[in-house]
Amino acid sequence: QVQLVESGGGLVQPGGSLRLSCAASRSIFSIYRMGWYRQVPGKQRELVATITSGGSTNYADSVKGRFTISRDNAKNTVYLQMNTLKHGGTEIYYCNAKRGELNYWGQGTQVTVSS
């Protein structure tokens, strides 16, 4: 079992930046892929970015060039640096850890982009 705890969400103005963190309860080195997803209340959860244990990354087209996912295996932590945030109301960002059939989610952290 892996517990994931997100932090770093909050209110930010359009064009601003936030860095989200996701701390895992134990070593995530052996977990194949970590990811960030987001969800608008009432809508489907969507992929934002993923990173493999080897450091390969993948991004949704909507965030390419603005968001950066990274991982620090020594700290059991995954980050999402979000720059040039666009006005979009409130979204919940979820951390994900996936290894084969095993799939874990954090409780989410709220991000509100508004002036």
Side-chain angles (χ1 to χ4, degrees):
Q1 187 77 12
V2 175
Q3 292 182 329
L4 304 172
V5 179
E6 301 99 332
S7 61
L11 173 64
V12 63
Q13 291 188 341
S17 298
L18 278 177
R19 188 175 84 152
L20 305 183
S21 299
C22 170
S25 59
R26 61 175 176 81
S27 174
I28 60 173
F29 181 78
S30 62
I31 295 176
Y32 176 67
R33 193 190 78 176
M34 301 294 296
W36 287 96
Y37 291 71
R38 63 187 177 190
Q39 185 172 23
V40 174
K43 293 190 176 180
Q44 211 164 15
R45 193 172 297 187
E46 63 176 14
L47 171 72
V48 176
T50 60
I51 184 168
T52 68
S53 59
S56 296
T57 58
N58 179 55
Y59 295 93
D61 288 342
S62 59
V63 306
K64 282 180 182 176
R66 299 187 297 119
F67 289 14
T68 302
I69 187 171
S70 60
R71 64 192 293 167
D72 185 335
N73 290 333
K75 294 183 178 180
N76 300 333
T77 302
V78 175
Y79 304 98
L80 184 69
Q81 178 66 43
M82 306 188 294
N83 298 327
T84 319
L85 284 162
K86 298 180 179 179
H87 189 299
T90 296
E91 294 175 316
I92 310 296
Y93 280 73
Y94 295 93
C95 180
N96 174 259
K98 184 173 175 63
R99 181 187 183 192
E101 304 254 327
L102 301 176
N103 200 25
Y104 303 104
W105 294 94
Q107 84 290 347
T109 185
Q110 183 170 300
V111 174
T112 301
V113 183
S114 177
S115 54

